[in-house]
Amino acid sequence: MIKVGVVGGTGYTGVELLRLLAQHPEVDLVAITSRGEAGTPVADMFPSLRGRVALAFSDPASAALEKCDLVFFATPNGVAMQQAPALLEAGVKVIDLAADFRLKDANVWEKWYGMPHTSQRWLAEAVYGLPEVNRKSIRKASLVANPGCYPTATQLGFLPLVESGCIDVSSLIADVKSGVSGAGRKAETHILFSEASDNFKAYGVPGHRHLPEISQGLTLAAGRAVGLTFVPHLTPMIRGIHATLYARITREADFQAIFEQRYAKEPFVDVLPPKSHPETRSVRASNICRIALHRPQNGNTLVVLSVIDNLVKGAAGQAVQNMNLMFDFDECTGLSHVPVLP
Amino acid sequence: MIKVGVVGGTGYTGVELLRLLAQHPEVDLVAITSRGEAGTPVADMFPSLRGRVALAFSDPASAALEKCDLVFFATPNGVAMQQAPALLEAGVKVIDLAADFRLKDANVWEKWYGMPHTSQRWLAEAVYGLPEVNRKSIRKASLVANPGCYPTATQLGFLPLVESGCIDVSSLIADVKSGVSGAGRKAETHILFSEASDNFKAYGVPGHRHLPEISQGLTLAAGRAVGLTFVPHLTPMIRGIHATLYARITREADFQAIFEQRYAKEPFVDVLPPKSHPETRSVRASNICRIALHRPQNGNTLVVLSVIDNLVKGAAGQAVQNMNLMFDFDECTGLSHVPVLP
Amino acid sequence: MIKVGVVGGTGYTGVELLRLLAQHPEVDLVAITSRGEAGTPVADMFPSLRGRVALAFSDPASAALEKCDLVFFATPNGVAMQQAPALLEAGVKVIDLAADFRLKDANVWEKWYGMPHTSQRWLAEAVYGLPEVNRKSIRKASLVANPGCYPTATQLGFLPLVESGCIDVSSLIADVKSGVSGAGRKAETHILFSEASDNFKAYGVPGHRHLPEISQGLTLAAGRAVGLTFVPHLTPMIRGIHATLYARITREADFQAIFEQRYAKEPFVDVLPPKSHPETRSVRASNICRIALHRPQNGNTLVVLSVIDNLVKGAAGQAVQNMNLMFDFDECTGLSHVPVLP
Amino acid sequence: MIKVGVVGGTGYTGVELLRLLAQHPEVDLVAITSRGEAGTPVADMFPSLRGRVALAFSDPASAALEKCDLVFFATPNGVAMQQAPALLEAGVKVIDLAADFRLKDANVWEKWYGMPHTSQRWLAEAVYGLPEVNRKSIRKASLVANPGCYPTATQLGFLPLVESGCIDVSSLIADVKSGVSGAGRKAETHILFSEASDNFKAYGVPGHRHLPEISQGLTLAAGRAVGLTFVPHLTPMIRGIHATLYARITREADFQAIFEQRYAKEPFVDVLPPKSHPETRSVRASNICRIALHRPQNGNTLVVLSVIDNLVKGAAGQAVQNMNLMFDFDECTGLSHVPVLP
């Protein structure tokens, strides 16, 4: 059993993390902080946790997080880079579910996130928490930057191709669709039920913060700079990301075999048989990523379909997977929920 | 570990049962039958079960169900009364998730279900599987009639009042709303997405089959015939039942205390603080029933709000709870999932 | 053609009013005010109006509303009672879509709305804008208080029975379900897509502001004080109200005939054949109210089902109907849209 | 006034056509046929039409369609090519909303639709009913092949670029998302509410029937064969298509100006300002197509966003637009509904 704290548990990433941690056999949840909700029992805000999480939100100042073995930050961007360093220096391990430590180049980070980066030292230390790429480093990390939801689905879908050297990495296209919970729990007009229901739209086409994150990961995998067009869309469902990925073939290969081999030992990546169409509900509330490969009309373009639950493999579940690695638990501990369908 | 078979696993009750059984530590799932789908891997029909259920659907004739310790029937009404008796006589325990053994009076059953009842002997033996009422009998039962979804939410909401003798049982009103999965997985026009989405309607107001089931249960609890108006509605959500129940007070009492005491030891019934409004999502994918009590404007009418997940406490979860009782497992085994919210 | 102004056009009631007025042949829309959005083209906020409404929001101070023939207030409660009197005194007719002039008793209003009523003189003058009850008075009115959405569906459903003297008016029950647009367009957490979708809940059971409004109307119709239990619910759909109404019979009558006769000449009330189940989508985007009557199991309780589009017959459409009456246009002008199904 | 018949009015295309025709000032609706529903009042099946369409479905054999001026076929593929020729030879004009006359090459048609084409003579005569391309021919046509929903949104989005000669037409990508009503009203499991709600998936990636239709249109516009990857997706909303289109620039130009000029005089195509993100709800229940153009990160790839209501501009509305052209009515007659938002 390890002592775990959560900073900022009032958003969707936070409540999902609490759902998973409450069922994790190795976790003793000792503090959940929220400046705005200090004193409120967690289960009053999230009635799904009644009888399962007895804690109240506590004030960050008095939470004694430095006595934890691990602290998760489920906070807005910019918080972890301020507060995590003190914990790290006290020997507490940290997983940041926000974006503070995802981009290795602080200049790029500052451009996309619009604020100065205040912890470049720890930015250099941080390990990007995509286990399918960085499993070894994660095991030894003190600070893990948990990937974004779009970047998880997109990278897992593109990685085998990019690594294979068989596609044109200068013209990648990622047309990605997200459920509304990906936009967070802060009350904003465009994500009201009456705005987002029975509706579909693209957004952020000129530039979305997940673009540099995906590019960074794929560039590392390719060994050279990739060119990526990334178009996110808002879909009227609560959970789920569906990435539809397009790549032009430059060298023939058995692409299905490339995917199957790449992920043969991955516990949370499921490569479907050829010509499958994965549905987001097939991974709902689970940590699984399902991927299918197509070559329409036997042409020159590969189409990869990749689905995850944005709150699980795209956020809280992947964070727990990283925790399992960092503390040498079985990687699947507390993550074996069967997807909820229908 | 017990050997378990499932007859008719292609509907929503069936797939939900498989989700729960696949995660149950005491269950060895040995057969899932379907006449129409014999030979099809279960995970091909329900991709959420990929990697978790390795069986294919088998033909009922060849499934050797008589070697099971327990067989669940997740079949249309009328099947279990034909097929269960042979299993029961072979010493196999049976839980029927359909309606065949729910109504004690075969004449009433035949009137509402429009066919002759072919197993009145086993009808007499069957125990109505509402643990909050019949826990002791369920432990010893060979055949359990698993309650309907509306009857579970409605009876759990009304029982403390009806038992208390403080309300007029001749004028009960149950205005109940169900998610669309309650209508099953058979393709019918009125439950198409484009018909049922962004829409709300009542149905079956002249008479619904769950009316006599609820009346039977409440009449037993009251010790005399109850009068019930039952109006079901279809709500554009996948899972969930919300019962809004109305009763007229005939004798003053501490009604909140009556509820709290009635359910104090129940692991799956959660009585909320006064003036609460339970939401169906607060029990999504879990076996919990949450109940709140109101007395609007301090008037003469009590309003009880009762929510369940129709596929769990209203079907498959309650069936597993009954299995746990029948085989002397801890009652909560395999049923401790935290609700999925959002 | 009349000159029409709209005060507060940024909510759902406002945009729906603009949709209807933009297609109304007798209306010249001259000003739409919004303090917060002054200068913004209306069609920038509501792209559905591109090419149809060329106005920008204007500042209320400079809008010269006193030159209008009619001004609609689609504002939060408390605004019209402040601003309408000056317009009325300048000879402008006013329709208030908020609640300021709905309750005749200022004390009751103040209790439920939590602020002093500042225009009791005009409260006395105001006509409650339910044409099926007050058509004659509306024709001559300077100030119309447009009814609430729940009150419209509930009163139209109960009125024939209450007027008939055949039911017990002391024990009326209204179990009413609303689409989420009824909660407005202000960003609040509980109406976010990820909160309100795939979910169902009651709210305001201890007391909702529409309760005194309904009671006032039914009391007038009954000729004596009615007793009403009113339970509103939030349903995961954008538009629509479904009222399920319960009344106990005290005297036998041909209830179906009572409904048919009561509404025989009403252009916007459609009494369905016996045993029908009206769906909210059957009136979507139209000004129609459809009503069906049931007497389940031939018992003592009548069940009335009444559906409207909360934004049309429950708000903007009824306001246009009132405008048509006030200016002696054909009552159906601009309101003949066929419901949008699916 | 013209006499109009509709063959096959029981699907979503049919009921939408009836909604529009019921409000069209130049149309006298004289017959709606359905073999399966002959004798049923249309308004019994579609309660939205109560009071607006008094006809019952009639048997096709006895419908005297040859006395109509125009007959719409809203039938499954393969019906119109059997039944339309006799009407055409009797001088009746025909608009087919199915696919029978869309592909000029009968061999291609037979390959994709899996049946022999029985009316190649009329196939040669048919005019493809996309007014933005074929307005002049449509005016003189006897037989119009109404375009598919995906092809309408996709062609309108690609046409200005393809005609401009500034993009690589060999590598077009169309990632298109449809509401569920596009899959029709026939009861099938995968479009049940409990399957399609809260879910997102691609389908038909290996090959969809709308691919050759789009390719045919774009090839004509380009003057040479285009290469197109077309991936359709099912979105949990009732109505709407959102096409996200990708094209590589081969020659610099003012692309925004190209779109604005191309559609300057089109009554139903609305080119949005640069960097806009059109939403499907902004055209809900209207005949409008809204288009926005992006060049993300000022790179080499253009992204076009194009939205329509699949049942209106993607089916029934475009058919009425074609009717208006064929009978020399104002092109917008009966099609000026303001979109329904929210």
Side-chain angles (χ1 to χ4, degrees):
Chain A
M1 295 279 281
I2 57 171
K3 285 186 175 17
V4 170
V6 174
V7 179
T10 62
Y12 292 134
T13 299
V15 63
E16 185 70 354
L17 191 57
L18 297 178
R19 179 175 78 91
L20 297 175
L21 295 177
Q23 300 177 85
H24 195 290
E26 303 287 352
V27 166
D28 179 17
L29 195 56
V30 297
I32 307 162
T33 75
S34 164
R35 193 158 289 142
E37 297 290 339
T40 304
V42 172
D44 280 11
M45 175 168 284
F46 299 117
S48 55
L49 299 173
R50 275 177 63 89
R52 302 305 290 271
V53 173
L55 296 169
F57 291 107
S58 55
D59 191 84
S62 61
L65 295 170
E66 68 282 359
K67 295 183 185 161
C68 291
D69 299 294
L70 171 67
V71 170
F72 292 95
F73 281 81
T75 42
N77 297 322
V79 174
M81 69 182 181
Q82 299 282 355
Q83 300 181 9
L87 293 170
L88 288 160
E89 280 148 29
V92 181
K93 297 191 179 188
V94 167
I95 297 176
D96 178 27
L97 286 88
D100 294 16
F101 301 102
R102 290 181 192 159
L103 299 184
K104 282 297 170 191
D105 184 329
N107 292 325
V108 174
W109 194 90
E110 293 179 353
K111 177 190 152 201
W112 285 91
Y113 289 89
M115 51 183 139
H117 200 293
T118 62
S119 184
Q120 299 199 20
R121 182 198 141 194
W122 284 104
L123 183 55
E125 293 275 333
V127 175
Y128 187 70
L130 194 61
E132 291 77 8
V133 174
N134 291 331
R135 184 170 282 111
K136 272 193 189 169
S137 311
I138 295 166
R139 288 192 195 277
K140 295 178 291 186
S142 296
L143 170 59
V144 164
N146 211 57
C149 49
Y150 287 127
T152 297
T154 304
Q155 290 179 84
L156 291 177
F158 266 141
L159 274 173
L161 295 178
V162 164
E163 293 168 354
S164 77
C166 298
I167 60 162
D168 174 13
V169 297
S170 75
S171 66
L172 303 174
I173 290 175
D175 188 292
V176 194
K177 301 85 176 173
S178 175
V180 184
S181 67
R185 193 167 168 270
K186 188 153 163 261
E188 291 178 354
T189 303
H190 78 288
I191 53 171
L192 291 179
F193 180 90
S194 302
E195 304 283 312
S197 171
D198 212 49
N199 188 35
F200 191 90
K201 66 171 178 182
Y203 67 101
V205 183
H208 184 283
R209 289 165 171 182
H210 285 171
L211 173 59
E213 183 180 341
I214 301 168
S215 293
Q216 170 183 278
L218 296 181
T219 292
L220 281 169
R224 59 201 176 89
V226 304
L228 172 68
T229 301
F230 169 59
V231 178
H233 302 76
L234 197 65
T235 305
M237 60 185 179
I238 297 178
R239 291 163 176 255
I241 284 187
H242 185 291
T244 313
L245 310 175
Y246 301 88
R248 284 191 300 145
I249 299 168
T250 53
R251 200 170 67 221
E252 288 298 332
D254 182 343
F255 296 105
Q256 177 74 20
I258 286 173
F259 273 83
E260 290 177 359
Q261 287 158 21
R262 176 63 176 82
Y263 293 128
K265 295 185 182 164
E266 285 300 336
F268 294 113
V269 182
D270 176 26
V271 178
L272 301 178
K275 305 205 175 175
S276 298
H277 298 90
E279 311 186 22
T280 57
R281 64 183 185 139
S282 77
V283 298
R284 188 189 290 140
S286 86
N287 199 49
I288 304 166
C289 174
R290 298 198 205 272
I291 297 178
L293 182 67
H294 289 260
R295 185 174 182 173
Q297 307 293 305
N298 207 27
N300 195 32
T301 301
L302 289 172
V303 179
V304 183
L305 312 175
S306 164
V307 299
I308 60 170
D309 184 319
N310 58 303
L311 295 180
V312 193
K313 184 62 176 168
Q318 187 144 267
V320 171
Q321 187 180 356
N322 283 321
M323 176 189 78
N324 288 342
L325 290 168
M326 292 163 85
F327 288 88
D328 216 22
F329 305 140
D330 181 287
E331 189 169 344
C332 300
T333 309
L335 292 173
S336 60
H337 311 281
V338 174
V340 176
L341 176 158
Chain B
M1 295 280 279
I2 57 171
K3 287 187 175 12
V4 171
V6 175
V7 179
T10 62
Y12 291 135
T13 299
V15 64
E16 185 69 356
L17 191 58
L18 297 179
R19 180 175 77 90
L20 297 175
L21 295 177
Q23 300 177 83
H24 195 291
E26 303 287 352
V27 166
D28 179 16
L29 196 56
V30 297
I32 307 162
T33 75
S34 163
R35 192 157 290 143
E37 296 290 340
T40 305
V42 171
D44 280 11
M45 176 168 284
F46 299 116
S48 55
L49 299 174
R50 276 178 62 89
R52 302 305 290 272
V53 173
L55 296 169
F57 291 106
S58 54
D59 191 85
S62 62
L65 293 171
E66 68 282 358
K67 296 183 184 160
C68 291
D69 299 293
L70 171 67
V71 169
F72 292 96
F73 280 81
T75 42
N77 297 322
V79 174
M81 68 181 181
Q82 300 283 353
Q83 300 181 9
L87 293 171
L88 287 161
E89 280 148 28
V92 181
K93 296 190 180 189
V94 167
I95 298 175
D96 178 26
L97 286 89
D100 294 16
F101 299 101
R102 289 181 191 159
L103 300 184
K104 281 298 170 190
D105 183 329
N107 291 325
V108 175
W109 194 90
E110 293 180 352
K111 177 190 153 200
W112 285 91
Y113 289 90
M115 51 182 137
H117 201 293
T118 61
S119 183
Q120 299 200 20
R121 182 198 142 193
W122 284 104
L123 183 56
E125 293 274 334
V127 174
Y128 187 70
L130 194 62
E132 292 77 7
V133 174
N134 291 331
R135 183 170 282 109
K136 271 193 190 169
S137 311
I138 295 165
R139 286 192 196 279
K140 296 178 291 187
S142 296
L143 170 59
V144 163
N146 212 57
C149 49
Y150 287 128
T152 297
T154 304
Q155 289 178 83
L156 290 177
F158 267 140
L159 274 173
L161 295 178
V162 164
E163 293 168 354
S164 76
C166 297
I167 60 162
D168 174 12
V169 297
S170 75
S171 66
L172 303 175
I173 291 176
D175 188 292
V176 194
K177 301 85 177 174
S178 175
V180 184
S181 66
R185 193 167 168 271
K186 187 153 163 261
E188 292 178 353
T189 303
H190 77 289
I191 53 170
L192 291 179
F193 180 91
S194 302
E195 304 282 313
S197 172
D198 212 49
N199 189 35
F200 190 89
K201 66 172 178 182
Y203 68 101
V205 183
H208 183 284
R209 288 165 172 184
H210 285 172
L211 173 60
E213 182 180 343
I214 301 168
S215 292
Q216 170 182 279
L218 296 181
T219 292
L220 282 169
R224 60 203 174 90
V226 304
L228 172 68
T229 301
F230 170 60
V231 178
H233 301 76
L234 198 66
T235 304
M237 60 186 180
I238 297 177
R239 291 163 175 253
I241 283 187
H242 185 291
T244 312
L245 310 175
Y246 301 88
R248 284 191 300 144
I249 299 168
T250 54
R251 200 169 69 220
E252 287 299 331
D254 182 343
F255 296 104
Q256 177 74 19
I258 286 172
F259 273 82
E260 290 177 359
Q261 287 158 19
R262 176 62 176 83
Y263 293 128
K265 295 185 184 165
E266 285 299 336
F268 294 113
V269 182
D270 177 25
V271 178
L272 300 178
K275 305 206 173 175
S276 298
H277 298 89
E279 311 186 21
T280 57
R281 64 184 185 137
S282 78
V283 298
R284 188 189 289 140
S286 86
N287 200 48
I288 303 167
C289 174
R290 298 197 206 272
I291 296 178
L293 182 68
H294 290 260
R295 185 174 181 172
Q297 307 293 305
N298 206 29
N300 195 34
T301 302
L302 290 173
V303 179
V304 183
L305 311 175
S306 164
V307 300
I308 60 170
D309 184 320
N310 58 303
L311 295 180
V312 192
K313 185 62 176 167
Q318 188 145 265
V320 171
Q321 188 179 356
N322 283 322
M323 176 189 78
N324 288 343
L325 290 168
M326 292 162 85
F327 288 88
D328 215 23
F329 306 140
D330 181 286
E331 190 169 342
C332 301
T333 309
L335 291 173
S336 60
H337 311 281
V338 174
V340 175
L341 175 159
Chain C
M1 295 281 278
I2 57 171
K3 285 185 175 16
V4 170
V6 175
V7 178
T10 63
Y12 291 135
T13 299
V15 64
E16 185 70 355
L17 191 57
L18 296 178
R19 179 175 78 91
L20 297 175
L21 294 177
Q23 300 177 84
H24 195 290
E26 303 287 352
V27 165
D28 179 18
L29 195 56
V30 296
I32 307 163
T33 75
S34 163
R35 193 157 289 141
E37 298 289 340
T40 305
V42 171
D44 281 11
M45 175 168 284
F46 299 116
S48 55
L49 299 174
R50 276 177 63 89
R52 302 305 290 272
V53 173
L55 295 168
F57 290 107
S58 56
D59 190 85
S62 62
L65 294 170
E66 68 281 359
K67 295 183 184 160
C68 291
D69 299 293
L70 171 68
V71 170
F72 291 96
F73 281 81
T75 43
N77 297 322
V79 174
M81 69 181 180
Q82 299 283 355
Q83 299 181 9
L87 293 170
L88 288 160
E89 280 148 27
V92 180
K93 296 190 179 188
V94 168
I95 298 177
D96 179 26
L97 286 87
D100 295 16
F101 300 101
R102 289 181 191 159
L103 300 184
K104 280 299 170 188
D105 184 328
N107 291 324
V108 174
W109 194 90
E110 293 179 351
K111 177 190 153 202
W112 285 91
Y113 288 90
M115 52 181 137
H117 201 292
T118 62
S119 183
Q120 300 199 19
R121 183 200 140 192
W122 284 105
L123 183 56
E125 293 274 333
V127 175
Y128 186 69
L130 194 61
E132 291 78 7
V133 174
N134 291 331
R135 183 171 282 111
K136 271 193 191 169
S137 310
I138 294 165
R139 288 191 196 279
K140 295 177 291 186
S142 296
L143 170 60
V144 164
N146 212 57
C149 49
Y150 287 128
T152 297
T154 303
Q155 289 179 84
L156 290 178
F158 266 141
L159 274 173
L161 295 177
V162 164
E163 292 168 355
S164 76
C166 298
I167 59 162
D168 174 12
V169 296
S170 76
S171 66
L172 303 174
I173 291 175
D175 189 292
V176 194
K177 301 85 177 173
S178 175
V180 184
S181 66
R185 193 167 167 270
K186 188 153 162 261
E188 292 178 352
T189 303
H190 78 290
I191 52 171
L192 291 179
F193 180 91
S194 302
E195 304 281 313
S197 172
D198 212 49
N199 188 35
F200 191 89
K201 66 172 178 182
Y203 68 101
V205 184
H208 184 284
R209 289 165 171 183
H210 285 170
L211 172 61
E213 183 179 342
I214 301 168
S215 293
Q216 170 182 278
L218 296 181
T219 292
L220 281 168
R224 58 201 177 91
V226 304
L228 172 68
T229 301
F230 169 59
V231 177
H233 302 75
L234 198 65
T235 305
M237 61 185 178
I238 298 178
R239 290 162 177 253
I241 283 186
H242 185 291
T244 313
L245 310 174
Y246 301 89
R248 285 191 300 144
I249 299 169
T250 53
R251 203 170 66 220
E252 288 298 334
D254 182 342
F255 297 105
Q256 177 73 20
I258 285 173
F259 273 83
E260 290 177 0
Q261 287 158 21
R262 176 62 176 83
Y263 293 127
K265 295 185 182 165
E266 285 300 336
F268 293 113
V269 182
D270 177 25
V271 178
L272 299 179
K275 306 207 173 172
S276 298
H277 298 89
E279 311 186 20
T280 58
R281 65 182 184 139
S282 77
V283 298
R284 188 188 289 140
S286 86
N287 199 48
I288 303 167
C289 174
R290 298 199 206 270
I291 296 178
L293 181 67
H294 290 260
R295 186 175 181 171
Q297 307 292 304
N298 206 27
N300 196 31
T301 302
L302 289 173
V303 179
V304 184
L305 312 175
S306 164
V307 299
I308 60 170
D309 183 320
N310 59 303
L311 295 180
V312 193
K313 185 61 177 169
Q318 188 145 266
V320 171
Q321 188 180 355
N322 283 320
M323 175 189 78
N324 287 343
L325 290 168
M326 292 163 86
F327 288 88
D328 217 22
F329 305 142
D330 181 288
E331 190 169 343
C332 300
T333 309
L335 292 173
S336 60
H337 312 279
V338 174
V340 175
L341 176 159
Chain D
M1 295 281 279
I2 57 170
K3 286 187 177 9
V4 171
V6 175
V7 178
T10 63
Y12 291 135
T13 300
V15 63
E16 185 69 354
L17 191 58
L18 297 178
R19 179 175 78 90
L20 297 175
L21 295 176
Q23 300 178 84
H24 195 290
E26 303 287 352
V27 165
D28 179 17
L29 195 57
V30 296
I32 307 162
T33 75
S34 164
R35 193 157 289 142
E37 297 289 340
T40 305
V42 171
D44 281 10
M45 175 168 284
F46 299 117
S48 55
L49 299 173
R50 276 177 62 88
R52 303 304 290 272
V53 172
L55 295 168
F57 290 107
S58 55
D59 191 84
S62 61
L65 294 170
E66 69 282 358
K67 296 183 184 160
C68 292
D69 299 294
L70 171 68
V71 170
F72 292 96
F73 281 82
T75 43
N77 297 322
V79 174
M81 69 181 180
Q82 299 283 356
Q83 299 181 8
L87 294 170
L88 288 160
E89 280 149 27
V92 180
K93 297 191 179 187
V94 167
I95 298 176
D96 178 27
L97 286 88
D100 295 14
F101 301 101
R102 290 181 191 159
L103 300 184
K104 281 299 171 190
D105 184 328
N107 291 325
V108 174
W109 194 91
E110 293 179 352
K111 177 190 152 200
W112 286 91
Y113 289 90
M115 52 182 137
H117 202 293
T118 61
S119 183
Q120 299 199 21
R121 183 200 139 192
W122 284 105
L123 183 56
E125 292 274 334
V127 175
Y128 187 70
L130 193 62
E132 291 77 8
V133 174
N134 290 331
R135 182 169 283 111
K136 270 194 190 166
S137 311
I138 294 165
R139 287 190 195 280
K140 295 178 291 186
S142 296
L143 169 60
V144 164
N146 212 58
C149 49
Y150 286 127
T152 297
T154 303
Q155 290 178 83
L156 291 177
F158 267 140
L159 274 173
L161 295 177
V162 164
E163 292 168 354
S164 75
C166 298
I167 60 162
D168 173 12
V169 296
S170 75
S171 66
L172 303 174
I173 290 176
D175 188 292
V176 194
K177 301 85 177 173
S178 175
V180 184
S181 66
R185 193 167 168 271
K186 188 153 162 261
E188 291 178 354
T189 303
H190 78 289
I191 52 171
L192 291 179
F193 180 91
S194 302
E195 305 281 312
S197 172
D198 212 50
N199 188 35
F200 191 89
K201 65 172 179 181
Y203 67 101
V205 183
H208 183 286
R209 289 166 172 183
H210 285 171
L211 172 59
E213 182 179 342
I214 301 167
S215 293
Q216 170 183 278
L218 296 181
T219 292
L220 281 170
R224 59 202 176 90
V226 304
L228 173 68
T229 300
F230 169 60
V231 178
H233 302 75
L234 198 66
T235 304
M237 61 186 179
I238 298 177
R239 292 163 176 254
I241 283 186
H242 184 291
T244 313
L245 309 175
Y246 301 88
R248 284 191 301 144
I249 299 168
T250 53
R251 199 168 70 219
E252 287 297 333
D254 182 344
F255 297 105
Q256 177 74 19
I258 285 173
F259 273 82
E260 290 176 359
Q261 286 158 20
R262 176 61 175 84
Y263 293 127
K265 294 185 184 166
E266 285 299 336
F268 294 114
V269 182
D270 177 25
V271 178
L272 300 178
K275 307 206 173 174
S276 298
H277 299 90
E279 312 185 21
T280 56
R281 65 183 184 138
S282 78
V283 298
R284 187 189 291 139
S286 86
N287 199 48
I288 303 166
C289 174
R290 298 198 205 272
I291 296 178
L293 181 67
H294 290 260
R295 185 173 181 173
Q297 306 293 305
N298 207 28
N300 196 32
T301 301
L302 289 173
V303 179
V304 183
L305 312 174
S306 164
V307 300
I308 60 170
D309 183 321
N310 58 303
L311 296 180
V312 192
K313 185 61 175 168
Q318 188 145 266
V320 171
Q321 188 179 355
N322 283 321
M323 175 189 79
N324 288 342
L325 290 168
M326 291 162 86
F327 287 89
D328 215 23
F329 306 140
D330 181 289
E331 189 169 341
C332 301
T333 308
L335 292 173
S336 60
H337 311 281
V338 174
V340 175
L341 175 159

